[in-house]
Amino acid sequence: MKIKIIAAFLFSMVVSTFVTAQPAKPELKFGKNGRFKIMQVTDTHYNALENAGSTQEFLREAIRLVQPDLIMLTGDIVVSENTRRGWQEIAGLLTGFRIPWAVVLGNHDSEYELTNKQIIELLSEYPDNLTENGPEDITGNGNYVLPVISSTHPDRTAASLYCFDTRKQHEWIDYTQMDWYRQQSRRLAGQNGGKPLPALAFYHVPVPEYNEVIGKPTTVGLQQETVCCPTSNSGSFVAMYECGDVMGIFVGHDHDNNYIGCLHGICLAYGFKSGRQSYGKIGRGVRVIELCEGERKFNTHLLHLYDCNRDEGTWTPVRPAATLFPVTFPDSFAEKK
């Protein structure tokens, strides 16, 4: 009996040691300069068997140039057979930089070997990954919020990043997701003395309101294809307007759009098509977003790294990488009366 008790005790100690040895998830935190830099990567359409080296080098170069505090991937990242291998290659590359990263999935990510839930479970094995499956009682996989901690008060959240699953192309952020968002927004406002906490939102498919900023005098960037958004409007933009926390929404999906405009005090922005695979003629790059601690303010620009035409087989580096369409929210979007 004593031997069994001792064996059980030793086994529990081994298990306890293993559990506590697991690396803790990294904390997102404003720097001493009061800034927090996000690099948005979108629509790589990565294929482990086709021009994979080009996309890998693109990512390495972008990370070296930007030196972000967080890498946010906004969908359609691995879009091919050998899905598991593709995600392992992308995740392994990102892990090598020891920079926190997170993913919201697109309409094409689950078209091959893995479901969205399985993809997120696979990514959970990587120590710097912050992606979560999210609550099981709401629609989709990958609805979660990331806190960004104050540089001066380690127990205080200074900003938040909402991540949503937009699922398929003609689906939308639904009412269960919006109820969850409102609850999170109220909770964070309560911790902030009742004031809405500065926030950004990330997802893949744009909302219909992206059409409303096209042609506005303060809108900058390229719009070379029709906004591919849901045919029905579920009111997600209005919910964010009412809560008053989200300053900007950042999406992908449309490879030949990279513009940013402002509607009712919320920026509607595209990322910059990243990586070599799939269509798109306006170049390849990333969007850089820099939050300002203690303010409802952020700076953003595009970083143009390559010119590319998949159909013609061209892949030409831009040297030096070009900064495009720099703006500051809210100053750049103040319309003249």
Side-chain angles (χ1 to χ4, degrees), residues 184-213:
Q184 299 303 311
S185 180
R186 287 194 296 267
R187 175 181 64 84
L188 291 166
Q191 297 171 2
N192 193 43
K195 292 182 179 181
L197 194 70
L200 303 178
F202 294 90
Y203 37 96
H204 181 69
V205 178
V207 290
E209 284 82 0
Y210 270 71
N211 287 294
E212 297 188 36
V213 299

PDB file of all heavy atoms in Angstrom, residues 184-213:
ATOM      1  N   GLN A 184     -18.594  42.010 -23.495  1.00  0.00           N
ATOM      2  CA  GLN A 184     -17.176  42.288 -23.289  1.00  0.00           C
ATOM      3  C   GLN A 184     -16.914  43.793 -23.220  1.00  0.00           C
ATOM      4  O   GLN A 184     -16.130  44.275 -22.405  1.00  0.00           O
ATOM      5  CB  GLN A 184     -16.352  41.669 -24.426  1.00  0.00           C
ATOM      6  CG  GLN A 184     -16.461  40.169 -24.553  1.00  0.00           C
ATOM      7  CD  GLN A 184     -16.070  39.448 -23.279  1.00  0.00           C
ATOM      8  OE1 GLN A 184     -15.028  39.722 -22.681  1.00  0.00           O
ATOM      9  NE2 GLN A 184     -16.910  38.527 -22.838  1.00  0.00           N
ATOM     10  N   SER A 185     -17.598  44.549 -24.087  1.00  0.00           N
ATOM     11  CA  SER A 185     -17.415  45.996 -24.115  1.00  0.00           C
ATOM     12  C   SER A 185     -17.851  46.629 -22.798  1.00  0.00           C
ATOM     13  O   SER A 185     -17.152  47.495 -22.242  1.00  0.00           O
ATOM     14  CB  SER A 185     -18.209  46.592 -25.287  1.00  0.00           C
ATOM     15  OG  SER A 185     -18.050  47.994 -25.339  1.00  0.00           O
ATOM     16  N   ARG A 186     -19.003  46.197 -22.278  1.00  0.00           N
ATOM     17  CA  ARG A 186     -19.476  46.725 -20.990  1.00  0.00           C
ATOM     18  C   ARG A 186     -18.526  46.347 -19.857  1.00  0.00           C
ATOM     19  O   ARG A 186     -18.249  47.168 -18.965  1.00  0.00           O
ATOM     20  CB  ARG A 186     -20.886  46.195 -20.698  1.00  0.00           C
ATOM     21  CG  ARG A 186     -21.978  46.834 -21.550  1.00  0.00           C
ATOM     22  CD  ARG A 186     -23.351  46.520 -20.979  1.00  0.00           C
ATOM     23  NE  ARG A 186     -23.644  45.098 -21.030  1.00  0.00           N
ATOM     24  CZ  ARG A 186     -24.294  44.508 -22.026  1.00  0.00           C
ATOM     25  NH1 ARG A 186     -24.689  45.221 -23.079  1.00  0.00           N
ATOM     26  NH2 ARG A 186     -24.561  43.217 -21.992  1.00  0.00           N
ATOM     27  N   ARG A 187     -18.034  45.122 -19.877  1.00  0.00           N
ATOM     28  CA  ARG A 187     -17.106  44.668 -18.832  1.00  0.00           C
ATOM     29  C   ARG A 187     -15.845  45.525 -18.818  1.00  0.00           C
ATOM     30  O   ARG A 187     -15.388  45.979 -17.757  1.00  0.00           O
ATOM     31  CB  ARG A 187     -16.759  43.195 -19.052  1.00  0.00           C
ATOM     32  CG  ARG A 187     -15.705  42.645 -18.099  1.00  0.00           C
ATOM     33  CD  ARG A 187     -15.405  41.188 -18.405  1.00  0.00           C
ATOM     34  NE  ARG A 187     -14.812  41.008 -19.715  1.00  0.00           N
ATOM     35  CZ  ARG A 187     -13.514  41.149 -19.982  1.00  0.00           C
ATOM     36  NH1 ARG A 187     -12.660  41.511 -19.019  1.00  0.00           N
ATOM     37  NH2 ARG A 187     -13.060  40.945 -21.204  1.00  0.00           N
ATOM     38  N   LEU A 188     -15.269  45.756 -19.987  1.00  0.00           N
ATOM     39  CA  LEU A 188     -14.032  46.528 -20.069  1.00  0.00           C
ATOM     40  C   LEU A 188     -14.268  47.996 -19.735  1.00  0.00           C
ATOM     41  O   LEU A 188     -13.425  48.641 -19.110  1.00  0.00           O
ATOM     42  CB  LEU A 188     -13.429  46.373 -21.468  1.00  0.00           C
ATOM     43  CG  LEU A 188     -12.882  44.972 -21.769  1.00  0.00           C
ATOM     44  CD1 LEU A 188     -12.617  44.807 -23.263  1.00  0.00           C
ATOM     45  CD2 LEU A 188     -11.609  44.706 -20.976  1.00  0.00           C
ATOM     46  N   ALA A 189     -15.431  48.527 -20.126  1.00  0.00           N
ATOM     47  CA  ALA A 189     -15.757  49.908 -19.758  1.00  0.00           C
ATOM     48  C   ALA A 189     -15.903  50.030 -18.248  1.00  0.00           C
ATOM     49  O   ALA A 189     -15.476  51.034 -17.645  1.00  0.00           O
ATOM     50  CB  ALA A 189     -17.032  50.351 -20.459  1.00  0.00           C
ATOM     51  N   GLY A 190     -16.491  49.018 -17.628  1.00  0.00           N
ATOM     52  CA  GLY A 190     -16.627  49.035 -16.176  1.00  0.00           C
ATOM     53  C   GLY A 190     -15.294  49.074 -15.460  1.00  0.00           C
ATOM     54  O   GLY A 190     -15.160  49.700 -14.401  1.00  0.00           O
ATOM     55  N   GLN A 191     -14.297  48.421 -16.043  1.00  0.00           N
ATOM     56  CA  GLN A 191     -12.954  48.449 -15.466  1.00  0.00           C
ATOM     57  C   GLN A 191     -12.218  49.750 -15.759  1.00  0.00           C
ATOM     58  O   GLN A 191     -11.152  50.005 -15.214  1.00  0.00           O
ATOM     59  CB  GLN A 191     -12.140  47.270 -16.013  1.00  0.00           C
ATOM     60  CG  GLN A 191     -12.689  45.905 -15.648  1.00  0.00           C
ATOM     61  CD  GLN A 191     -11.982  44.777 -16.377  1.00  0.00           C
ATOM     62  OE1 GLN A 191     -11.040  45.008 -17.146  1.00  0.00           O
ATOM     63  NE2 GLN A 191     -12.408  43.550 -16.138  1.00  0.00           N
ATOM     64  N   ASN A 192     -12.807  50.564 -16.642  1.00  0.00           N
ATOM     65  CA  ASN A 192     -12.178  51.809 -17.072  1.00  0.00           C
ATOM     66  C   ASN A 192     -12.974  53.024 -16.576  1.00  0.00           C
ATOM     67  O   ASN A 192     -13.056  54.049 -17.265  1.00  0.00           O
ATOM     68  CB  ASN A 192     -12.071  51.834 -18.604  1.00  0.00           C
ATOM     69  CG  ASN A 192     -11.172  52.934 -19.127  1.00  0.00           C
ATOM     70  OD1 ASN A 192     -10.094  53.190 -18.601  1.00  0.00           O
ATOM     71  ND2 ASN A 192     -11.618  53.608 -20.175  1.00  0.00           N
ATOM     72  N   GLY A 193     -13.559  52.886 -15.402  1.00  0.00           N
ATOM     73  CA  GLY A 193     -14.308  53.997 -14.831  1.00  0.00           C
ATOM     74  C   GLY A 193     -15.581  54.336 -15.580  1.00  0.00           C
ATOM     75  O   GLY A 193     -16.060  55.474 -15.512  1.00  0.00           O
ATOM     76  N   GLY A 194     -16.124  53.380 -16.316  1.00  0.00           N
ATOM     77  CA  GLY A 194     -17.354  53.601 -17.065  1.00  0.00           C
ATOM     78  C   GLY A 194     -17.146  54.143 -18.464  1.00  0.00           C
ATOM     79  O   GLY A 194     -18.103  54.276 -19.230  1.00  0.00           O
ATOM     80  N   LYS A 195     -15.898  54.469 -18.832  1.00  0.00           N
ATOM     81  CA  LYS A 195     -15.613  54.983 -20.170  1.00  0.00           C
ATOM     82  C   LYS A 195     -15.311  53.838 -21.127  1.00  0.00           C
ATOM     83  O   LYS A 195     -14.626  52.883 -20.755  1.00  0.00           O
ATOM     84  CB  LYS A 195     -14.405  55.916 -20.133  1.00  0.00           C
ATOM     85  CG  LYS A 195     -14.614  57.213 -19.392  1.00  0.00           C
ATOM     86  CD  LYS A 195     -13.352  58.058 -19.477  1.00  0.00           C
ATOM     87  CE  LYS A 195     -13.518  59.388 -18.775  1.00  0.00           C
ATOM     88  NZ  LYS A 195     -12.278  60.210 -18.890  1.00  0.00           N
ATOM     89  N   PRO A 196     -15.788  53.913 -22.372  1.00  0.00           N
ATOM     90  CA  PRO A 196     -15.424  52.876 -23.350  1.00  0.00           C
ATOM     91  C   PRO A 196     -13.907  52.780 -23.486  1.00  0.00           C
ATOM     92  O   PRO A 196     -13.212  53.798 -23.587  1.00  0.00           O
ATOM     93  CB  PRO A 196     -16.063  53.376 -24.649  1.00  0.00           C
ATOM     94  CG  PRO A 196     -17.191  54.241 -24.204  1.00  0.00           C
ATOM     95  CD  PRO A 196     -16.707  54.919 -22.939  1.00  0.00           C
ATOM     96  N   LEU A 197     -13.396  51.565 -23.455  1.00  0.00           N
ATOM     97  CA  LEU A 197     -11.957  51.354 -23.570  1.00  0.00           C
ATOM     98  C   LEU A 197     -11.548  51.424 -25.038  1.00  0.00           C
ATOM     99  O   LEU A 197     -12.189  50.799 -25.892  1.00  0.00           O
ATOM    100  CB  LEU A 197     -11.589  49.989 -22.998  1.00  0.00           C
ATOM    101  CG  LEU A 197     -10.111  49.727 -22.742  1.00  0.00           C
ATOM    102  CD1 LEU A 197      -9.611  50.566 -21.562  1.00  0.00           C
ATOM    103  CD2 LEU A 197      -9.877  48.245 -22.466  1.00  0.00           C
ATOM    104  N   PRO A 198     -10.502  52.176 -25.390  1.00  0.00           N
ATOM    105  CA  PRO A 198     -10.076  52.218 -26.795  1.00  0.00           C
ATOM    106  C   PRO A 198      -9.856  50.813 -27.344  1.00  0.00           C
ATOM    107  O   PRO A 198      -9.214  49.981 -26.700  1.00  0.00           O
ATOM    108  CB  PRO A 198      -8.763  53.012 -26.736  1.00  0.00           C
ATOM    109  CG  PRO A 198      -8.892  53.865 -25.522  1.00  0.00           C
ATOM    110  CD  PRO A 198      -9.668  53.027 -24.526  1.00  0.00           C
ATOM    111  N   ALA A 199     -10.376  50.564 -28.544  1.00  0.00           N
ATOM    112  CA  ALA A 199     -10.345  49.212 -29.084  1.00  0.00           C
ATOM    113  C   ALA A 199     -10.230  49.226 -30.597  1.00  0.00           C
ATOM    114  O   ALA A 199     -10.574  50.201 -31.261  1.00  0.00           O
ATOM    115  CB  ALA A 199     -11.610  48.452 -28.668  1.00  0.00           C
ATOM    116  N   LEU A 200      -9.745  48.103 -31.132  1.00  0.00           N
ATOM    117  CA  LEU A 200      -9.747  47.828 -32.565  1.00  0.00           C
ATOM    118  C   LEU A 200     -10.455  46.493 -32.775  1.00  0.00           C
ATOM    119  O   LEU A 200     -10.527  45.667 -31.857  1.00  0.00           O
ATOM    120  CB  LEU A 200      -8.324  47.746 -33.115  1.00  0.00           C
ATOM    121  CG  LEU A 200      -7.412  48.959 -32.919  1.00  0.00           C
ATOM    122  CD1 LEU A 200      -6.018  48.657 -33.484  1.00  0.00           C
ATOM    123  CD2 LEU A 200      -7.987  50.207 -33.554  1.00  0.00           C
ATOM    124  N   ALA A 201     -10.952  46.266 -33.976  1.00  0.00           N
ATOM    125  CA  ALA A 201     -11.599  44.998 -34.318  1.00  0.00           C
ATOM    126  C   ALA A 201     -10.935  44.413 -35.562  1.00  0.00           C
ATOM    127  O   ALA A 201     -10.596  45.148 -36.495  1.00  0.00           O
ATOM    128  CB  ALA A 201     -13.093  45.191 -34.551  1.00  0.00           C
ATOM    129  N   PHE A 202     -10.771  43.096 -35.569  1.00  0.00           N
ATOM    130  CA  PHE A 202     -10.144  42.398 -36.686  1.00  0.00           C
ATOM    131  C   PHE A 202     -11.040  41.245 -37.129  1.00  0.00           C
ATOM    132  O   PHE A 202     -11.483  40.435 -36.313  1.00  0.00           O
ATOM    133  CB  PHE A 202      -8.775  41.850 -36.277  1.00  0.00           C
ATOM    134  CG  PHE A 202      -7.757  42.912 -35.969  1.00  0.00           C
ATOM    135  CD1 PHE A 202      -7.625  43.400 -34.678  1.00  0.00           C
ATOM    136  CD2 PHE A 202      -6.943  43.424 -36.969  1.00  0.00           C
ATOM    137  CE1 PHE A 202      -6.693  44.390 -34.383  1.00  0.00           C
ATOM    138  CE2 PHE A 202      -6.009  44.416 -36.685  1.00  0.00           C
ATOM    139  CZ  PHE A 202      -5.888  44.896 -35.392  1.00  0.00           C
ATOM    140  N   TYR A 203     -11.320  41.186 -38.426  1.00  0.00           N
ATOM    141  CA  TYR A 203     -11.973  40.024 -39.009  1.00  0.00           C
ATOM    142  C   TYR A 203     -11.663  39.966 -40.501  1.00  0.00           C
ATOM    143  O   TYR A 203     -10.871  40.773 -40.996  1.00  0.00           O
ATOM    144  CB  TYR A 203     -13.475  39.978 -38.738  1.00  0.00           C
ATOM    145  CG  TYR A 203     -14.257  41.255 -38.724  1.00  0.00           C
ATOM    146  CD1 TYR A 203     -14.941  41.697 -39.863  1.00  0.00           C
ATOM    147  CD2 TYR A 203     -14.411  41.998 -37.555  1.00  0.00           C
ATOM    148  CE1 TYR A 203     -15.730  42.834 -39.836  1.00  0.00           C
ATOM    149  CE2 TYR A 203     -15.188  43.153 -37.522  1.00  0.00           C
ATOM    150  CZ  TYR A 203     -15.839  43.562 -38.661  1.00  0.00           C
ATOM    151  OH  TYR A 203     -16.610  44.690 -38.642  1.00  0.00           O
ATOM    152  N   HIS A 204     -12.238  39.000 -41.196  1.00  0.00           N
ATOM    153  CA  HIS A 204     -11.818  38.757 -42.579  1.00  0.00           C
ATOM    154  C   HIS A 204     -12.698  39.455 -43.611  1.00  0.00           C
ATOM    155  O   HIS A 204     -12.201  40.194 -44.458  1.00  0.00           O
ATOM    156  CB  HIS A 204     -11.777  37.259 -42.864  1.00  0.00           C
ATOM    157  CG  HIS A 204     -11.322  36.934 -44.254  1.00  0.00           C
ATOM    158  ND1 HIS A 204     -10.025  37.143 -44.683  1.00  0.00           N
ATOM    159  CD2 HIS A 204     -11.992  36.435 -45.339  1.00  0.00           C
ATOM    160  CE1 HIS A 204      -9.915  36.785 -45.954  1.00  0.00           C
ATOM    161  NE2 HIS A 204     -11.090  36.357 -46.382  1.00  0.00           N
ATOM    162  N   VAL A 205     -13.989  39.203 -43.581  1.00  0.00           N
ATOM    163  CA  VAL A 205     -14.899  39.710 -44.616  1.00  0.00           C
ATOM    164  C   VAL A 205     -15.411  41.096 -44.211  1.00  0.00           C
ATOM    165  O   VAL A 205     -15.898  41.283 -43.097  1.00  0.00           O
ATOM    166  CB  VAL A 205     -16.079  38.747 -44.826  1.00  0.00           C
ATOM    167  CG1 VAL A 205     -17.052  39.302 -45.857  1.00  0.00           C
ATOM    168  CG2 VAL A 205     -15.572  37.369 -45.262  1.00  0.00           C
ATOM    169  N   PRO A 206     -15.326  42.093 -45.101  1.00  0.00           N
ATOM    170  CA  PRO A 206     -15.799  43.439 -44.746  1.00  0.00           C
ATOM    171  C   PRO A 206     -17.314  43.491 -44.574  1.00  0.00           C
ATOM    172  O   PRO A 206     -18.047  42.652 -45.109  1.00  0.00           O
ATOM    173  CB  PRO A 206     -15.359  44.287 -45.949  1.00  0.00           C
ATOM    174  CG  PRO A 206     -15.253  43.331 -47.085  1.00  0.00           C
ATOM    175  CD  PRO A 206     -14.787  42.036 -46.477  1.00  0.00           C
ATOM    176  N   VAL A 207     -17.756  44.488 -43.827  1.00  0.00           N
ATOM    177  CA  VAL A 207     -19.197  44.722 -43.652  1.00  0.00           C
ATOM    178  C   VAL A 207     -19.678  45.675 -44.744  1.00  0.00           C
ATOM    179  O   VAL A 207     -18.876  46.372 -45.381  1.00  0.00           O
ATOM    180  CB  VAL A 207     -19.492  45.300 -42.259  1.00  0.00           C
ATOM    181  CG1 VAL A 207     -19.250  44.249 -41.191  1.00  0.00           C
ATOM    182  CG2 VAL A 207     -18.657  46.545 -41.985  1.00  0.00           C
ATOM    183  N   PRO A 208     -20.992  45.740 -45.013  1.00  0.00           N
ATOM    184  CA  PRO A 208     -21.499  46.589 -46.097  1.00  0.00           C
ATOM    185  C   PRO A 208     -21.105  48.057 -45.977  1.00  0.00           C
ATOM    186  O   PRO A 208     -21.006  48.756 -46.997  1.00  0.00           O
ATOM    187  CB  PRO A 208     -23.022  46.404 -45.984  1.00  0.00           C
ATOM    188  CG  PRO A 208     -23.201  45.045 -45.401  1.00  0.00           C
ATOM    189  CD  PRO A 208     -22.068  44.893 -44.422  1.00  0.00           C
ATOM    190  N   GLU A 209     -20.868  48.541 -44.760  1.00  0.00           N
ATOM    191  CA  GLU A 209     -20.510  49.948 -44.568  1.00  0.00           C
ATOM    192  C   GLU A 209     -19.199  50.329 -45.258  1.00  0.00           C
ATOM    193  O   GLU A 209     -18.943  51.527 -45.457  1.00  0.00           O
ATOM    194  CB  GLU A 209     -20.425  50.270 -43.077  1.00  0.00           C
ATOM    195  CG  GLU A 209     -21.762  50.430 -42.377  1.00  0.00           C
ATOM    196  CD  GLU A 209     -22.406  49.116 -41.972  1.00  0.00           C
ATOM    197  OE1 GLU A 209     -21.806  48.042 -42.244  1.00  0.00           O
ATOM    198  OE2 GLU A 209     -23.511  49.142 -41.393  1.00  0.00           O
ATOM    199  N   TYR A 210     -18.399  49.349 -45.659  1.00  0.00           N
ATOM    200  CA  TYR A 210     -17.167  49.669 -46.395  1.00  0.00           C
ATOM    201  C   TYR A 210     -17.474  50.400 -47.702  1.00  0.00           C
ATOM    202  O   TYR A 210     -16.646  51.148 -48.215  1.00  0.00           O
ATOM    203  CB  TYR A 210     -16.363  48.395 -46.670  1.00  0.00           C
ATOM    204  CG  TYR A 210     -15.371  48.066 -45.576  1.00  0.00           C
ATOM    205  CD1 TYR A 210     -15.794  47.613 -44.334  1.00  0.00           C
ATOM    206  CD2 TYR A 210     -14.007  48.233 -45.768  1.00  0.00           C
ATOM    207  CE1 TYR A 210     -14.900  47.311 -43.329  1.00  0.00           C
ATOM    208  CE2 TYR A 210     -13.089  47.939 -44.768  1.00  0.00           C
ATOM    209  CZ  TYR A 210     -13.545  47.485 -43.546  1.00  0.00           C
ATOM    210  OH  TYR A 210     -12.650  47.212 -42.540  1.00  0.00           O
ATOM    211  N   ASN A 211     -18.670  50.183 -48.243  1.00  0.00           N
ATOM    212  CA  ASN A 211     -19.065  50.896 -49.462  1.00  0.00           C
ATOM    213  C   ASN A 211     -19.271  52.388 -49.211  1.00  0.00           C
ATOM    214  O   ASN A 211     -19.135  53.196 -50.131  1.00  0.00           O
ATOM    215  CB  ASN A 211     -20.360  50.291 -50.017  1.00  0.00           C
ATOM    216  CG  ASN A 211     -20.152  48.937 -50.661  1.00  0.00           C
ATOM    217  OD1 ASN A 211     -19.492  48.819 -51.688  1.00  0.00           O
ATOM    218  ND2 ASN A 211     -20.715  47.906 -50.044  1.00  0.00           N
ATOM    219  N   GLU A 212     -19.615  52.750 -47.994  1.00  0.00           N
ATOM    220  CA  GLU A 212     -20.010  54.125 -47.707  1.00  0.00           C
ATOM    221  C   GLU A 212     -18.839  55.091 -47.594  1.00  0.00           C
ATOM    222  O   GLU A 212     -19.051  56.304 -47.609  1.00  0.00           O
ATOM    223  CB  GLU A 212     -20.862  54.162 -46.433  1.00  0.00           C
ATOM    224  CG  GLU A 212     -22.173  53.397 -46.562  1.00  0.00           C
ATOM    225  CD  GLU A 212     -23.089  53.601 -45.378  1.00  0.00           C
ATOM    226  OE1 GLU A 212     -23.115  54.722 -44.829  1.00  0.00           O
ATOM    227  OE2 GLU A 212     -23.769  52.631 -44.984  1.00  0.00           O
ATOM    228  N   VAL A 213     -17.621  54.577 -47.450  1.00  0.00           N
ATOM    229  CA  VAL A 213     -16.473  55.498 -47.349  1.00  0.00           C
ATOM    230  C   VAL A 213     -15.750  55.661 -48.683  1.00  0.00           C
ATOM    231  O   VAL A 213     -14.835  56.470 -48.803  1.00  0.00           O
ATOM    232  CB  VAL A 213     -15.472  55.045 -46.257  1.00  0.00           C
ATOM    233  CG1 VAL A 213     -16.150  55.014 -44.900  1.00  0.00           C
ATOM    234  CG2 VAL A 213     -14.852  53.689 -46.601  1.00  0.00           C
TER     235      VAL A 213
END
